[in-house]
Amino acid sequence: MTASLPPAVPFFPPALFEADRPALIGLVREVGLDPEQRFILGRRTAAFEDLLREDLGAAEVVACSSGTSALSLVLRAMDVGPGDEVIVPAFGCAPLAASVVDVGATPVFADIRPDTMTMDPDEAERLVTERTKAVLPAHMFSVMADMSRFAELARRHGLRLLEDSAVAQGGVLRGVPAGLWGEAGLYSFVQVKTCGMPGEGGVVVTRDPALGEKVRMLRNHGQYAGRRFVHHAVGLNSRFDEIQAAFQTYRYSGFPARLARRAEIAAYYTERFTPLADHGVAPPPPGPDGRCFYVYTVLAEDREALGAHLAEWGVATHVYYPHPLPAHRAFAPYAPPGARWPRAEQAARRHLALPVHHLLTDAQVQHVADLVCAFASEHR
């Protein structure tokens, strides 16, 4: 008799919001039948912003249409524009560079650290010129960037510091929440993020009330709250949905437990995988400080073989960034001729993300870890 395969382990769970379905349907009805008929930027959005502001100890939290939009809003609020340079990681998501290009500035690509895959502060400082206006580090996968170093770099050179914390909601580094190290940070609520929702959305978080108020004005076509049809700047349509605001507020009390489960899974993976570093599979650095657990990513010498091995046994994996940002046609015009980013290139070849979502069972987590360990043992 042929042994049956264990159940598939999805990378992201298809029924992520199944337990919340009755509440979500109720909220759709509540908002839809509300006599106010306010579907964007209403009292539910304001309540969600207040909830996050109080929880984080921020001066301002401004809900907007996406994490990408949040980046663009903050760059505009910082008056970054033509003639300015912004130092960004050479490895990561397209909006890191695209949002800079969108405001007319020039992205300058810095290489990353080989262990965390976050921007290397030394590489960033080497690229500072008289045109540098801002530095934009990004937290990557499950590890926060070295924000204390970037904060010092920004102070030393008089630069604006914008923290791309889209994947890091709930992360804390040296007692400071992700998003509050720089002048402003942001979170993304796309469904697969740690505090995701069934749709698109994000927030800007800041300790600077004036900067937050400017972002608030820019997100709604340059209008201040309560003063429609008076436009103070050319802004964006980056408004938050009332149904999603109500749903996020409803689910927020469960966020710590969901995050703790991700952290538990990640800690188990790291314990199992740390001995594999000399056998072609390297986990993220150990330890809980500065961890966010959006996804759990290893660096594998033979990524394709590891991915195929896991797929054969029903485990889904994901490659996020198969090329460094300057290697894309969209950003090639901003890459100096002959320049190389060897660590970003290595990360693009080697990174492989494993399932770490909070709905995984202990048996599924052990199954994933056993498969990775068996692969490393066979490929010594």
Side-chain angles (χ1 to χ4, degrees):
M1 179 180 296
T2 303
S4 60
L5 293 175
V9 182
F11 188 73
F12 290 122
L16 182 59
F17 303 108
E18 180 62 26
D20 303 303
R21 180 167 56 165
L24 179 57
I25 292 172
L27 290 171
V28 171
R29 181 178 178 82
E30 175 190 302
V31 175
L33 297 179
D34 192 314
E36 283 187 330
Q37 290 293 283
R38 185 74 177 268
F39 302 116
I40 54 170
L41 298 187
R43 56 186 171 85
R44 295 170 181 85
T45 298
F48 180 49
E49 291 173 335
D50 288 343
L51 174 64
L52 288 179
R53 183 187 303 113
E54 182 176 347
D55 191 32
L56 291 167
E60 276 280 11
V61 171
V62 184
C64 55
S65 61
S66 68
T68 297
S69 181
L71 274 177
S72 294
L73 285 167
V74 176
L75 288 168
R76 288 168 182 257
M78 289 179 169
D79 297 318
V80 175
D84 295 329
E85 294 177 348
V86 179
I87 300 173
V88 303
F91 181 72
C93 62
L96 286 165
S99 60
V100 175
V101 174
D102 187 54
V103 297
T106 300
V108 177
F109 298 104
D111 211 350
I112 60 173
R113 289 180 48 175
D115 54 348
T116 64
M117 292 178 276
T118 59
M119 186 160 65
D120 187 328
D122 293 330
E123 290 295 312
E125 185 156 27
R126 185 177 62 81
L127 296 169
V128 173
T129 72
E130 68 278 358
R131 295 178 58 193
T132 305
K133 182 72 170 283
V135 60
L136 175 50
H139 309 315
M140 187 60 57
F141 303 135
S142 63
V143 185
M144 291 176 63
D146 191 347
M147 292 307 302
S148 60
R149 291 279 309 280
F150 283 111
E152 177 56 33
L153 185 158
R155 283 193 295 268
R156 192 161 54 246
H157 294 279
L159 304 177
R160 313 301 297 260
L161 178 57
L162 169 54
E163 179 183 352
D164 185 345
S165 46
V167 306
Q169 186 175 1
V172 178
L173 176 65
R174 300 185 184 181
V176 178
L180 293 181
W181 275 91
E183 292 177 70
L186 58 109
Y187 303 139
S188 167
F189 299 138
V190 71
Q191 74 270 22
V192 296
K193 296 298 197 297
T194 54
C195 196
M197 65 190 195
E200 189 95 62
V203 292
V204 173
V205 299
T206 180
R207 297 186 189 275
D208 183 340
L211 184 63
E213 184 63 17
K214 190 170 183 180
V215 168
R216 190 176 297 279
M217 175 267 292
L218 288 170
R219 77 169 171 185
N220 190 18
H221 296 299
Q223 303 168 100
Y224 285 108
R227 298 184 63 193
R228 292 187 67 193
F229 308 120
V230 179
H231 302 273
H232 299 270
V234 177
L236 303 174
N237 177 2
S238 182
R239 301 175 296 201
F240 204 76
D241 180 272
E242 282 286 278
I243 294 172
Q244 299 285 14
F247 188 62
Q248 286 294 78
T249 300
Y250 155 77
R251 290 187 84 230
Y252 198 70
S253 62
F255 178 50
R258 296 193 298 271
L259 198 65
R261 175 57 177 164
R262 286 172 175 261
E264 180 183 25
I265 295 168
Y268 177 78
Y269 281 161
T270 298
E271 182 181 2
R272 294 287 307 274
F273 300 159
T274 295
L276 309 181
D278 293 332
H279 304 291
V281 179
D289 194 33
R291 297 299 184 268
C292 42
F293 311 117
Y294 161 51
V295 294
Y296 187 94
T297 304
V298 297
L299 291 168
E301 292 289 349
D302 193 344
R303 177 181 64 200
E304 283 66 31
L306 175 57
H309 173 72
L310 290 166
E312 181 181 356
W313 289 92
V315 176
T317 60
H318 194 64
V319 173
Y320 275 83
Y321 311 119
H323 306 287
L325 285 174
H328 291 270
R329 180 182 299 178
F331 307 120
Y334 307 99
R340 297 289 302 274
W341 296 267
R343 293 171 178 173
E345 293 165 4
Q346 183 182 63
R349 288 192 304 268
R350 297 182 59 197
H351 78 281
L352 185 70
L354 309 176
V356 74
H357 57 81
H358 66 281
L359 295 180
L360 291 170
T361 66
D362 288 347
Q364 287 175 315
V365 173
Q366 183 176 343
H367 177 55
V368 173
D370 288 347
L371 289 171
V372 173
C373 291
F375 175 86
S377 177
E378 294 170 4
H379 290 77
R380 289 185 180 180

Coordinates of all heavy atoms in Angstrom, one line a residue, residues 84-167:
D84 N 16.5 66.0 -6.1 CA 16.8 65.3 -4.9 C 17.2 63.9 -5.2 O 16.7 63.3 -6.1 CB 15.7 65.4 -3.9 CG 15.3 66.8 -3.4 OD1 16.2 67.6 -3.3 OD2 14.1 67.0 -3.1
E85 N 18.0 63.3 -4.3 CA 18.3 61.9 -4.3 C 17.8 61.2 -3.0 O 17.8 61.9 -2.0 CB 19.8 61.6 -4.4 CG 20.4 62.1 -5.7 CD 21.9 61.9 -5.8 OE1 22.5 61.6 -4.7 OE2 22.5 62.0 -6.9
V86 N 17.3 60.0 -3.2 CA 16.8 59.3 -2.0 C 17.5 57.9 -2.0 O 17.5 57.2 -3.0 CB 15.3 59.1 -2.0 CG1 14.9 58.2 -0.8 CG2 14.6 60.4 -2.0
I87 N 18.2 57.5 -1.0 CA 18.9 56.3 -0.9 C 18.0 55.2 -0.5 O 17.3 55.3 0.5 CB 20.1 56.4 0.1 CG1 21.1 57.5 -0.4 CG2 20.8 55.0 0.2 CD1 22.2 57.7 0.6
V88 N 17.9 54.2 -1.4 CA 16.9 53.0 -1.1 C 17.7 51.7 -1.2 O 18.8 51.7 -1.8 CB 15.8 53.1 -2.2 CG1 15.1 54.4 -2.2 CG2 16.3 52.8 -3.6
P89 N 17.1 50.6 -0.7 CA 17.8 49.3 -0.9 C 17.8 48.8 -2.3 O 16.9 49.1 -3.1 CB 16.9 48.4 0.0 CG 16.1 49.3 0.8 CD 15.9 50.5 0.1
A90 N 18.8 48.1 -2.7 CA 18.9 47.5 -4.0 C 18.1 46.3 -4.1 O 17.9 45.7 -5.2 CB 20.4 47.3 -4.4
F91 N 17.6 45.8 -3.0 CA 16.8 44.5 -2.9 C 15.5 44.8 -2.2 O 15.6 45.3 -1.1 CB 17.6 43.4 -2.2 CG 16.9 42.1 -2.1 CD1 16.8 41.3 -3.2 CD2 16.4 41.7 -0.9 CE1 16.2 40.1 -3.1 CE2 15.8 40.4 -0.8 CZ 15.7 39.6 -1.9
G92 N 14.4 44.5 -2.8 CA 13.1 44.8 -2.2 C 12.0 45.0 -3.2 O 12.2 44.7 -4.4
C93 N 10.9 45.6 -2.7 CA 9.8 45.7 -3.5 C 9.9 47.0 -4.4 O 10.6 48.0 -4.1 CB 8.5 45.8 -2.7 SG 8.5 47.2 -1.6
A94 N 9.2 47.0 -5.6 CA 9.3 48.0 -6.6 C 9.0 49.4 -6.0 O 9.6 50.4 -6.4 CB 8.5 47.7 -7.8
P95 N 7.9 49.5 -5.1 CA 7.6 50.9 -4.6 C 8.7 51.6 -3.9 O 8.7 52.9 -3.9 CB 6.4 50.6 -3.7 CG 5.8 49.3 -4.2 CD 7.0 48.5 -4.7
L96 N 9.7 50.9 -3.4 CA 10.8 51.6 -2.8 C 11.5 52.6 -3.8 O 11.8 53.7 -3.4 CB 11.9 50.6 -2.3 CG 11.5 49.8 -1.1 CD1 12.5 48.6 -0.9 CD2 11.6 50.7 0.2
A97 N 11.6 52.2 -5.0 CA 12.2 53.0 -6.0 C 11.1 53.8 -6.8 O 11.3 55.0 -7.1 CB 13.0 52.2 -7.0
A98 N 10.0 53.2 -7.1 CA 9.0 53.8 -7.9 C 8.4 55.0 -7.2 O 8.1 56.0 -7.9 CB 7.9 52.8 -8.2
S99 N 8.2 55.0 -5.9 CA 7.6 56.1 -5.2 C 8.6 57.3 -5.3 O 8.1 58.5 -5.3 CB 7.3 55.8 -3.8 OG 8.5 55.4 -3.1
V100 N 9.9 57.1 -5.3 CA 10.9 58.1 -5.4 C 10.8 58.7 -6.8 O 10.8 60.0 -7.0 CB 12.3 57.6 -5.1 CG1 13.3 58.7 -5.3 CG2 12.3 57.1 -3.7
V101 N 10.8 57.9 -7.8 CA 10.7 58.3 -9.2 C 9.4 59.1 -9.4 O 9.3 60.2 -10.1 CB 10.7 57.2 -10.2 CG1 10.5 57.6 -11.6 CG2 12.1 56.4 -10.1
D102 N 8.3 58.7 -8.7 CA 7.0 59.3 -8.9 C 7.0 60.8 -8.5 O 6.2 61.6 -9.0 CB 5.9 58.5 -8.1 CG 4.5 59.0 -8.4 OD1 4.1 59.0 -9.6 OD2 3.8 59.3 -7.4
V103 N 7.8 61.1 -7.5 CA 7.8 62.5 -7.0 C 8.9 63.3 -7.8 O 9.2 64.5 -7.5 CB 8.0 62.6 -5.5 CG1 6.9 62.0 -4.8 CG2 9.3 62.0 -5.1
G104 N 9.5 62.7 -8.8 CA 10.5 63.4 -9.6 C 11.9 63.3 -9.1 O 12.9 64.0 -9.6
A105 N 12.2 62.6 -8.0 CA 13.5 62.5 -7.4 C 14.2 61.2 -8.0 O 13.6 60.5 -8.8 CB 13.4 62.4 -5.9
T106 N 15.5 61.0 -7.6 CA 16.3 60.0 -8.1 C 16.6 58.9 -7.1 O 17.1 59.3 -6.0 CB 17.6 60.5 -8.7 OG1 17.4 61.5 -9.7 CG2 18.5 59.4 -9.2
P107 N 16.2 57.7 -7.3 CA 16.6 56.6 -6.3 C 18.0 56.3 -6.5 O 18.5 56.1 -7.6 CB 15.7 55.5 -6.7 CG 15.4 55.7 -8.2 CD 15.4 57.1 -8.4
V108 N 18.7 56.1 -5.4 CA 20.1 55.7 -5.4 C 20.2 54.4 -4.6 O 19.8 54.3 -3.4 CB 21.0 56.8 -4.7 CG1 22.5 56.3 -4.6 CG2 20.9 58.1 -5.4
F109 N 20.7 53.4 -5.3 CA 20.6 52.0 -4.7 C 21.8 51.6 -3.9 O 22.9 51.7 -4.3 CB 20.4 51.0 -5.9 CG 19.2 51.2 -6.7 CD1 19.2 51.8 -7.9 CD2 17.9 50.9 -6.2 CE1 18.1 52.0 -8.7 CE2 16.8 51.1 -6.9 CZ 16.8 51.7 -8.2
A110 N 21.5 51.2 -2.6 CA 22.6 50.8 -1.7 C 22.4 49.3 -1.6 O 21.3 48.7 -1.5 CB 22.4 51.4 -0.4
D111 N 23.6 48.6 -1.5 CA 23.6 47.2 -1.3 C 23.1 46.8 0.2 O 23.0 47.7 1.0 CB 25.0 46.6 -1.5 CG 25.0 45.2 -2.0 OD1 23.9 44.5 -2.0 OD2 26.0 44.7 -2.5
I112 N 22.9 45.5 0.4 CA 22.2 45.1 1.6 C 23.2 44.3 2.5 O 24.3 43.9 2.0 CB 21.0 44.2 1.3 CG1 21.5 42.9 0.5 CG2 20.0 45.0 0.5 CD1 20.4 41.9 0.2
R113 N 22.8 44.0 3.7 CA 23.6 43.1 4.6 C 23.3 41.7 4.1 O 22.2 41.3 3.8 CB 23.2 43.3 6.0 CG 23.6 44.6 6.6 CD 23.2 44.8 8.0 NE 23.5 43.5 8.8 CZ 23.3 43.5 10.1 NH1 22.8 44.5 10.8 NH2 23.6 42.3 10.8
P114 N 24.3 40.8 4.2 CA 24.1 39.4 3.7 C 23.2 38.6 4.6 O 22.7 37.6 4.1 CB 25.5 38.9 3.6 CG 26.3 39.7 4.6 CD 25.7 41.1 4.6
D115 N 23.1 38.9 5.9 CA 22.4 38.1 6.8 C 20.9 38.5 6.9 O 20.0 37.6 6.9 CB 23.1 38.0 8.2 CG 23.3 39.4 8.7 OD1 23.1 40.4 8.0 OD2 23.6 39.5 9.9
T116 N 20.6 39.8 7.0 CA 19.3 40.2 7.2 C 18.6 40.6 5.9 O 17.4 40.8 5.9 CB 19.2 41.4 8.1 OG1 19.9 42.5 7.5 CG2 19.9 41.1 9.4
M117 N 19.3 40.8 4.8 CA 18.8 41.3 3.5 C 18.2 42.7 3.6 O 17.4 43.1 2.7 CB 17.8 40.3 2.9 CG 18.5 39.0 2.5 SD 17.3 37.7 1.8 CE 16.7 37.0 3.4
T118 N 18.5 43.4 4.6 CA 18.1 44.8 4.8 C 19.3 45.7 4.3 O 20.4 45.3 4.3 CB 17.7 45.2 6.2 OG1 18.8 44.9 7.1 CG2 16.5 44.3 6.6
M119 N 19.0 47.0 4.0 CA 20.0 47.9 3.5 C 21.1 48.1 4.5 O 20.9 48.2 5.7 CB 19.3 49.3 3.2 CG 20.3 50.3 2.6 SD 19.4 51.6 1.7 CE 18.6 52.5 3.1
D120 N 22.3 48.0 4.0 CA 23.5 48.2 4.8 C 23.8 49.6 5.1 O 24.0 50.4 4.2 CB 24.7 47.6 4.1 CG 26.0 47.5 4.9 OD1 26.2 48.4 5.8 OD2 26.8 46.6 4.7
P121 N 23.8 50.1 6.4 CA 24.0 51.5 6.7 C 25.4 52.0 6.2 O 25.4 53.2 5.8 CB 24.0 51.5 8.2 CG 23.2 50.3 8.6 CD 23.5 49.3 7.6
D122 N 26.4 51.2 6.2 CA 27.7 51.6 5.7 C 27.6 51.9 4.2 O 28.2 52.9 3.7 CB 28.8 50.6 6.0 CG 29.1 50.5 7.5 OD1 28.9 51.5 8.2 OD2 29.4 49.4 7.9
E123 N 26.9 51.0 3.4 CA 26.8 51.2 2.0 C 25.9 52.5 1.7 O 26.2 53.2 0.8 CB 26.1 50.0 1.4 CG 27.0 48.8 1.3 CD 28.2 49.0 0.4 OE1 28.0 49.5 -0.7 OE2 29.3 48.7 0.8
A124 N 24.9 52.7 2.5 CA 24.1 53.9 2.4 C 24.9 55.1 2.6 O 24.8 56.1 1.8 CB 22.9 53.8 3.3
E125 N 25.7 55.2 3.6 CA 26.4 56.4 3.9 C 27.5 56.7 2.9 O 27.7 57.8 2.5 CB 27.1 56.2 5.3 CG 27.8 57.5 5.7 CD 28.0 57.6 7.2 OE1 28.1 56.5 7.9 OE2 28.1 58.7 7.8
R126 N 28.0 55.6 2.3 CA 29.0 55.8 1.2 C 28.4 56.5 0.0 O 29.1 57.2 -0.8 CB 29.5 54.5 0.7 CG 30.6 54.5 -0.3 CD 31.1 53.1 -0.6 NE 30.1 52.2 -1.1 CZ 29.7 52.2 -2.4 NH1 30.3 53.0 -3.3 NH2 28.7 51.4 -2.9
L127 N 27.0 56.5 -0.2 CA 26.4 57.1 -1.3 C 25.8 58.5 -1.1 O 25.2 59.1 -2.0 CB 25.2 56.1 -1.7 CG 25.6 54.7 -2.2 CD1 24.4 53.8 -2.3 CD2 26.4 54.8 -3.5
V128 N 26.0 59.0 0.1 CA 25.5 60.3 0.4 C 26.2 61.4 -0.4 O 27.5 61.4 -0.4 CB 25.6 60.6 1.9 CG1 25.2 62.1 2.2 CG2 24.7 59.7 2.7
T129 N 25.5 62.3 -1.0 CA 26.1 63.4 -1.8 C 25.4 64.7 -1.3 O 24.4 64.7 -0.5 CB 25.9 63.2 -3.3 OG1 24.5 63.4 -3.6 CG2 26.4 61.8 -3.7
E130 N 25.8 65.8 -1.9 CA 25.1 67.0 -1.6 C 23.6 67.1 -2.1 O 22.8 67.9 -1.7 CB 25.9 68.2 -2.2 CG 25.9 68.3 -3.7 CD 26.9 67.4 -4.4 OE1 27.6 66.7 -3.6 OE2 27.0 67.4 -5.6
R131 N 23.3 66.1 -3.0 CA 21.9 66.1 -3.5 C 21.0 65.2 -2.7 O 19.8 65.1 -2.9 CB 21.9 65.6 -5.0 CG 22.6 66.6 -5.9 CD 22.6 66.0 -7.3 NE 21.2 65.8 -7.8 CZ 20.9 65.0 -8.9 NH1 21.9 64.5 -9.6 NH2 19.6 64.8 -9.2
T132 N 21.6 64.4 -1.8 CA 20.8 63.5 -1.0 C 19.8 64.2 -0.1 O 20.2 65.0 0.7 CB 21.7 62.5 -0.2 OG1 22.7 61.9 -1.0 CG2 20.9 61.5 0.5
K133 N 18.6 63.9 -0.2 CA 17.5 64.5 0.6 C 17.0 63.6 1.7 O 16.7 64.0 2.8 CB 16.4 64.9 -0.3 CG 15.2 65.7 0.4 CD 15.6 67.1 0.8 CE 14.4 67.9 1.2 NZ 13.5 68.3 0.1
A134 N 17.0 62.3 1.4 CA 16.4 61.4 2.4 C 17.0 60.0 2.2 O 17.6 59.7 1.2 CB 14.9 61.3 2.1
V135 N 16.9 59.2 3.3 CA 17.3 57.8 3.3 C 16.0 57.0 3.6 O 15.3 57.3 4.5 CB 18.5 57.5 4.2 CG1 18.1 57.9 5.6 CG2 18.9 56.1 4.1
L136 N 15.9 55.9 2.9 CA 14.6 55.1 3.0 C 15.0 53.6 3.2 O 14.9 52.8 2.3 CB 13.8 55.3 1.7 CG 12.5 54.5 1.5 CD1 11.6 54.5 2.7 CD2 11.8 54.9 0.2
P137 N 15.3 53.2 4.4 CA 15.5 51.8 4.7 C 14.2 51.1 4.8 O 13.1 51.7 5.1 CB 16.2 51.8 6.1 CG 15.7 53.1 6.7 CD 15.5 54.1 5.6
A138 N 14.2 49.8 4.5 CA 13.0 48.9 4.5 C 13.3 47.7 5.3 O 14.3 47.1 5.2 CB 12.6 48.6 3.1
H139 N 12.3 47.3 6.2 CA 12.4 46.1 6.9 C 12.1 45.0 5.8 O 11.2 45.2 4.9 CB 11.4 46.1 8.0 CG 11.5 47.2 8.9 ND1 12.8 47.7 9.3 CD2 10.6 48.1 9.4 CE1 12.6 48.8 10.1 NE2 11.3 49.0 10.2
M140 N 12.7 43.8 6.0 CA 12.7 42.8 5.0 C 12.2 41.5 5.6 O 12.9 40.9 6.5 CB 14.0 42.7 4.3 CG 14.1 41.8 3.1 SD 13.0 42.3 1.8 CE 13.5 43.9 1.4
F141 N 11.1 40.9 5.0 CA 10.7 39.6 5.4 C 10.4 39.5 6.9 O 9.3 39.9 7.3 CB 11.7 38.5 5.0 CG 11.9 38.5 3.5 CD1 13.2 38.4 3.0 CD2 10.9 38.7 2.6 CE1 13.5 38.4 1.7 CE2 11.1 38.7 1.2 CZ 12.4 38.5 0.8
S142 N 11.3 39.1 7.8 CA 11.0 39.0 9.2 C 12.0 39.7 10.0 O 12.0 39.6 11.3 CB 11.0 37.5 9.6 OG 12.3 36.9 9.5
V143 N 12.8 40.6 9.4 CA 13.9 41.3 10.2 C 13.8 42.8 9.9 O 13.7 43.2 8.8 CB 15.3 40.7 9.8 CG1 16.3 41.4 10.6 CG2 15.3 39.2 9.9
M144 N 13.8 43.6 11.0 CA 13.9 45.0 10.8 C 15.3 45.5 10.5 O 16.3 44.8 10.9 CB 13.4 45.7 12.2 CG 12.0 45.5 12.5 SD 11.5 46.2 14.1 CE 11.8 48.0 13.8
A145 N 15.3 46.5 9.7 CA 16.6 47.1 9.4 C 17.3 47.7 10.6 O 16.6 47.9 11.7 CB 16.4 48.2 8.3
D146 N 18.6 48.0 10.5 CA 19.3 48.6 11.7 C 19.0 50.1 11.8 O 19.7 50.9 11.5 CB 20.8 48.4 11.4 CG 21.7 48.7 12.6 OD1 21.1 49.2 13.6 OD2 22.9 48.3 12.6
M147 N 17.8 50.3 12.4 CA 17.3 51.7 12.4 C 18.1 52.6 13.3 O 18.1 53.8 13.0 CB 15.8 51.7 12.9 CG 14.9 51.0 11.8 SD 15.0 51.7 10.1 CE 14.7 53.4 10.4
S148 N 18.7 52.1 14.4 CA 19.5 53.0 15.2 C 20.7 53.6 14.4 O 21.0 54.8 14.5 CB 20.0 52.3 16.4 OG 20.8 51.2 16.1
R149 N 21.3 52.8 13.5 CA 22.4 53.2 12.6 C 21.8 54.2 11.6 O 22.5 55.2 11.3 CB 23.0 52.0 11.9 CG 23.8 51.1 12.8 CD 25.2 51.6 13.1 NE 25.9 52.0 11.9 CZ 26.5 51.2 11.0 NH1 26.5 49.9 11.3 NH2 27.2 51.6 10.0
F150 N 20.7 53.9 11.0 CA 20.1 54.9 10.1 C 19.7 56.2 10.7 O 19.8 57.2 10.1 CB 18.9 54.2 9.3 CG 19.4 53.2 8.3 CD1 19.1 51.9 8.5 CD2 20.1 53.6 7.1 CE1 19.5 50.9 7.5 CE2 20.5 52.7 6.2 CZ 20.2 51.4 6.4
A151 N 19.2 56.1 11.9 CA 18.8 57.4 12.6 C 20.0 58.2 12.8 O 20.0 59.5 12.6 CB 18.1 57.0 13.9
E152 N 21.1 57.6 13.2 CA 22.4 58.4 13.4 C 22.9 58.9 12.1 O 23.4 60.0 12.0 CB 23.4 57.4 14.1 CG 24.8 58.1 14.3 CD 24.7 59.4 15.1 OE1 23.9 59.5 16.0 OE2 25.5 60.3 14.8
L153 N 22.8 58.1 11.1 CA 23.3 58.6 9.7 C 22.5 59.8 9.3 O 23.1 60.8 8.8 CB 23.1 57.4 8.7 CG 23.6 57.6 7.3 CD1 23.8 56.2 6.7 CD2 22.6 58.4 6.4
A154 N 21.2 59.7 9.5 CA 20.3 60.9 9.1 C 20.7 62.1 9.9 O 20.7 63.2 9.3 CB 18.9 60.5 9.2
R155 N 20.9 62.0 11.2 CA 21.2 63.1 12.0 C 22.6 63.7 11.6 O 22.7 64.9 11.5 CB 21.3 62.7 13.5 CG 19.9 62.5 14.1 CD 20.1 62.4 15.7 NE 20.8 61.2 16.0 CZ 20.2 60.1 16.3 NH1 18.9 59.9 16.2 NH2 20.9 59.0 16.7
R156 N 23.5 62.8 11.3 CA 24.9 63.3 11.0 C 24.9 64.1 9.7 O 25.7 65.0 9.6 CB 25.8 62.1 10.9 CG 27.3 62.4 10.9 CD 28.2 61.3 11.3 NE 27.9 60.1 10.5 CZ 27.4 58.9 11.0 NH1 27.1 58.9 12.3 NH2 27.2 57.9 10.2
H157 N 24.1 63.7 8.7 CA 24.1 64.3 7.4 C 22.9 65.2 7.2 O 22.8 65.8 6.1 CB 24.2 63.2 6.3 CG 25.4 62.4 6.3 ND1 26.6 62.8 5.8 CD2 25.7 61.2 6.9 CE1 27.6 61.9 5.9 NE2 27.0 60.9 6.6
G158 N 22.1 65.4 8.1 CA 20.9 66.3 8.0 C 20.0 65.8 6.9 O 19.4 66.6 6.2
L159 N 19.7 64.5 7.0 CA 18.8 63.9 6.0 C 17.4 63.6 6.6 O 17.3 63.4 7.8 CB 19.4 62.6 5.4 CG 20.8 62.6 4.8 CD1 21.3 61.2 4.4 CD2 20.8 63.6 3.6
R160 N 16.4 63.5 5.7 CA 15.1 63.0 6.1 C 15.2 61.5 6.2 O 15.8 60.9 5.4 CB 14.0 63.4 5.1 CG 14.0 64.9 4.7 CD 13.8 65.9 5.8 NE 12.6 65.8 6.5 CZ 11.5 66.6 6.3 NH1 11.5 67.5 5.3 NH2 10.4 66.5 7.1
L161 N 14.5 61.0 7.2 CA 14.5 59.5 7.4 C 13.1 59.0 7.3 O 12.2 59.3 8.2 CB 15.1 59.2 8.8 CG 15.2 57.7 9.1 CD1 15.9 56.8 8.1 CD2 15.8 57.5 10.5
L162 N 12.8 58.2 6.3 CA 11.5 57.6 6.1 C 11.7 56.1 6.2 O 12.5 55.5 5.6 CB 10.9 57.9 4.7 CG 9.7 57.2 4.2 CD1 8.6 57.2 5.2 CD2 9.3 57.7 2.8
E163 N 10.9 55.4 7.1 CA 11.0 54.0 7.4 C 10.0 53.2 6.7 O 8.8 53.4 7.0 CB 10.9 53.9 8.9 CG 11.0 52.5 9.5 CD 10.8 52.4 11.0 OE1 10.7 53.5 11.6 OE2 10.7 51.3 11.5
D164 N 10.4 52.4 5.8 CA 9.4 51.5 5.1 C 9.2 50.3 6.0 O 9.9 49.3 5.9 CB 9.9 51.1 3.7 CG 8.8 50.2 3.0 OD1 7.9 49.8 3.6 OD2 9.0 50.0 1.8
S165 N 8.2 50.4 6.8 CA 7.8 49.3 7.8 C 6.5 48.6 7.4 O 5.8 48.1 8.2 CB 7.7 49.9 9.2 OG 6.9 51.1 9.2
A166 N 6.3 48.6 6.0 CA 5.1 48.0 5.5 C 4.8 46.6 6.0 O 3.7 46.2 6.3 CB 5.1 48.1 4.0
V167 N 5.9 45.8 6.1 CA 5.8 44.4 6.5 C 5.9 44.2 8.0 O 5.9 43.0 8.5 CB 6.8 43.5 5.8 CG1 6.7 43.7 4.3 CG2 8.2 43.8 6.2

